[in-house]
Amino acid sequence: MKTLFITTLALAATFAQADTGKLDATTPGAVIRKEVYGQFVEHLGRGVYEGIWVGADSPIPNTRGIRNDVVAALRKIKVPVVRWPGGCFADDYHWRHGVGPQRQPSINSSWSNAIEPNTFGTHEFMDFVEQIGAAPYVGVNMGSGSVEEGQAWMQYMTAPANTAQGAERARNGRTEPWALPYVGVGNESWGCGGHMYPEEYANRYRQFQGYLKTYSGPKALKIATGPDTDDYAWTDTVMKLATRFRPNATSPILYAPTKPLMDGLSLHFYTLPSNRWGGVHPARGFGEAAWISTMKRALMMDELVTKHSAIMDTYDPKKEVALVVDEWGTWYDKEPDGPGGLWQQNTLRDALVAAVTLNIFHDHAERVRMANIAQMVNVLQAMILTDGPRMLVTPTYHVFDLYQVHQGARRLPLKLYAAPYRFGDIEVPGLSGTASVDAAGRVHVSLANVDANQPRRLTLAVQGVKPGAVRGQVITAPAMDSHNSFDAPATVAPREFSGARWTGSTLTVALPAKSVVTLELR
Ligand code: AHR
């Protein structure tokens, strides 16, 4: 009794904010698709070469050239889908360079004219996704490629071995076709992928999509190039012109607009600390102004998804077309002593960005049915960093690890009434959260305290869960830019969390400043 009294006093003294919330576990909503936890790999910097591929002769332990340490780490977080080969590189990629015994180097004109050895091609990518247990999402070259090239690649990957393309694949070592559940049609066609107007893209999309079929296995879901950030005009035009068959008055039955011509529309959005490109945005060694502006920018994802979805609703009220956020994450300055190639350190700040972004995706589970963080290894907001034979997992990886309990679970209504967090002239909600119930009936709640200084005490009124045990894990660290290094790889890592307790049907959670917590309510 005495201990309890002291603890209560201590809580009252320590917490400047008393935040409240409501969790209703009696009304599960949409399924949080596991594909929202997808990743993106591009031939850029050390993302593929060294990050994934070291070659069969490497002293780094590998399986058919793919490094074992990276595969083991990715298997642990259950990566559901990997987008490849780009990015801008996808519209620069000619797949034939990357198959067969004789691989000729080519130029990666998207990224500093680097030499692309083409040793990691279609077979190696498919081997990689099989090794980590993920599905492939292949981006077809629309910018500098042709319909014929795209169609031949689809046949190469998915046609039976008794066809010309299938036989070529078999000669190159793979008899069985691969399953290809997702195909992207161009990348950033408004930018590096062709600088098109949306009308032009929509027409080209209509033509390409007709030929990008799978010839065995599941029908590939086709994902069209969507907008950059808040380019709502792009979404409107592409949805208007490319979603449906063209109405045809003379044969309305033949051309009846039953199924959409696309299954997904992409959205690209990067978290730039000051809401614009340029300026000084170091990945570490930043102050609280950069911290809070990064949080504000990350939270903008909610506005973007809401507004793009509303436009999609006008053309696709049944939500048959998914919004696929296939590039998202933080993008900082080149590190002065880093290797370049969009390599950046990953700190506690990135963990918070990952958590609030995933929470937003869960809130929009009906429309956001896939997302791919940029990028998987050694590039931008990476899960994994490597240095030759050494490898570490980042704070962002740990958030994906904690959040895997939400993959495939049903979203639960969670309302938070949190005092704002302010610094300078910026204000953001102090807390962000999400909750879900999995197939076994386990309820999980994830909470992010974005406040860089103040711990928060959240009092959550819970409906539909019998109070019992509660256990959890927390990610936090002393500094805003705490990060893992090869010498200290566990500086930021999940720890057991004992700051939650039941009082009747109320759950009180003591959240440290700048932290991410996932709880299991039993
Ligand atoms: O992820 C890095 C680059 O960002 C991608 O290649 C491109 O699609 C985007 O602009």
Side-chain angles (χ1 to χ4, degrees):
M1 190 61 195
K2 195 175 165 199
T3 323
L4 189 68
F5 178 67
I6 291 167
T7 311
T8 312
L9 273 184
L11 283 175
T14 316
F15 293 96
Q17 310 286 1
D19 300 319
T20 61
K22 284 185 194 160
L23 168 64
D24 180 3
T26 63
T27 52
V31 169
I32 298 163
R33 302 294 180 104
K34 66 180 191 303
E35 289 77 14
V36 160
Y37 289 81
Q39 312 243 342
F40 167 39
V41 167
E42 179 166 16
H43 290 239
L44 158 57
R46 295 184 300 136
V48 169
Y49 298 105
E50 183 185 311
I52 293 169
W53 177 260
V54 288
D57 298 333
S58 170
I60 298 172
N62 69 83
T63 301
R64 296 180 292 279
I66 295 165
R67 55 190 297 170
N68 294 344
D69 50 358
V70 167
V71 167
L74 294 171
R75 284 190 74 84
K76 183 162 179 273
I77 57 168
K78 297 196 174 67
V79 178
V81 55
V82 183
R83 176 176 184 248
W84 172 84
C88 297
F89 180 79
D91 280 307
D92 196 20
Y93 185 59
H94 300 286
W95 65 273
R96 282 197 176 283
H97 295 165
V99 298
Q102 303 299 328
R103 307 284 176 94
Q104 296 298 323
S106 55
I107 296 170
N108 184 338
S109 68
S110 297
W111 298 107
S112 317
N113 288 343
I115 297 300
E116 166 54 51
N118 285 306
T119 42
F120 189 89
T122 305
H123 290 251
E124 292 73 24
F125 171 67
M126 292 296 193
D127 190 10
F128 170 61
V129 291
E130 279 175 10
Q131 287 191 34
I132 68 169
Y137 167 15
V138 170
V140 165
N141 179 346
M142 177 194 264
S144 67
S146 64
V147 171
E148 183 186 9
E149 183 186 24
Q151 184 188 40
W153 198 11
M154 295 299 287
Q155 291 174 348
Y156 185 87
M157 290 186 277
T158 68
N162 61 357
T163 63
Q165 306 289 2
E168 186 186 354
R169 180 192 66 240
R171 282 196 301 278
N172 289 333
R174 170 82 184 200
T175 308
E176 285 302 305
W178 289 291
L180 181 60
Y182 308 103
V183 60
V185 188
N187 170 76
E188 298 195 351
S189 309
W190 35 262
C192 63
H195 298 279
M196 296 176 215
Y197 283 93
E199 292 80 1
E200 182 188 356
Y201 175 77
N203 281 328
R204 296 196 71 194
Y205 175 83
R206 298 180 71 84
Q207 184 192 9
F208 266 73
Q209 63 79 31
Y211 298 93
L212 300 181
K213 295 182 195 146
T214 41
Y215 294 81
S216 66
K219 201 168 149 293
L221 300 181
K222 294 168 202 164
I223 296 154
T225 290
D228 176 24
T229 310
D230 55 357
D231 186 351
Y232 300 114
W234 181 279
T235 299
D236 190 72
T237 304
V238 173
M239 285 299 293
K240 181 162 57 194
L241 299 180
T243 314
R244 305 277 162 191
F245 281 95
R246 189 170 69 84
N248 182 323
T250 53
S251 27
I253 292 176
L254 187 59
Y255 293 98
T258 47
K259 284 280 294 159
L261 296 178
M262 70 173 79
D263 302 286
L265 182 76
S266 73
L267 165 65
H268 287 187
F269 172 60
Y270 284 97
T271 296
L272 316 163
S274 72
N275 212 18
R276 62 185 168 80
W277 297 96
V280 180
H281 312 305
R284 50 192 149 158
F286 52 83
E288 194 169 347
W291 170 279
I292 194 168
S293 61
T294 305
M295 296 306 141
K296 186 158 175 81
R297 173 85 178 183
L299 287 161
M300 191 182 159
M301 182 69 89
D302 185 55
E303 176 189 328
L304 298 175
V305 171
T306 302
K307 290 186 176 171
H308 286 295
S309 297
I311 296 167
M312 293 173 80
D313 283 346
T314 62
Y315 301 101
D316 173 38
K318 289 196 266 175
K319 297 193 189 329
E320 290 172 281
V321 181
L323 186 60
V324 175
V325 190
D326 60 14
E327 287 189 29
W328 68 272
T330 55
W331 191 317
Y332 307 123
D333 288 348
K334 180 180 178 307
E335 299 248 354
D337 53 351
L342 302 189
W343 184 94
Q344 62 190 32
Q345 188 48 267
N346 194 288
T347 71
L348 182 62
R349 176 173 61 167
D350 297 86
L352 269 294
V353 169
V356 304
T357 305
L358 292 167
N359 295 346
I360 293 166
F361 292 158
H362 294 188
D363 286 345
H364 295 273
E366 289 94 348
R367 183 67 88 174
V368 178
R369 302 201 285 269
M370 197 204 290
N372 308 76
I373 189 169
Q375 298 191 6
M376 193 178 238
V377 192
N378 288 333
V379 177
L380 296 175
Q381 191 175 348
M383 300 288 126
I384 290 175
L385 301 176
T386 64
D387 176 25
R390 303 196 291 176
M391 184 206 89
L392 61 78
V393 297
T394 64
T396 298
Y397 173 96
H398 290 306
V399 171
F400 274 66
D401 191 11
L402 252 58
Y403 271 59
Q404 51 174 295
V405 292
H406 298 296
Q407 288 193 17
R410 290 180 69 188
R411 185 179 165 262
L412 293 174
L414 172 70
K415 284 247 178 298
L416 297 177
Y417 308 97
Y421 158 50
R422 297 188 184 93
F423 185 84
D425 57 359
I426 300 183
E427 176 178 308
V428 294
L431 297 180
S432 153
T434 193
S436 68
V437 57
D438 68 14
R442 287 176 295 230
V443 171
H444 294 101
V445 180
S446 292
L447 298 161
N449 178 5
V450 304
D451 193 320
N453 303 304
Q454 293 298 330
R456 300 277 180 135
R457 185 179 56 196
L458 172 68
T459 308
L460 201 60
V462 183
Q463 224 187 319
V465 180
K466 210 163 136 233
V470 49
R471 64 176 190 202
Q473 288 192 292
V474 59
I475 299 169
T476 190
M480 291 181 289
D481 69 346
S482 291
H483 57 274
N484 296 334
S485 67
F486 293 102
D487 297 327
T491 304
V492 186
R495 322 249 182 241
E496 285 304 308
F497 180 70
S498 54
R501 58 183 71 92
W502 287 102
T503 313
S505 59
T506 299
L507 189 68
T508 305
V509 190
L511 292 154
K514 49 183 180 348
S515 68
V516 179
V517 166
T518 291
L519 301 170
E520 183 171 312
L521 314 190
R522 297 216 165 204

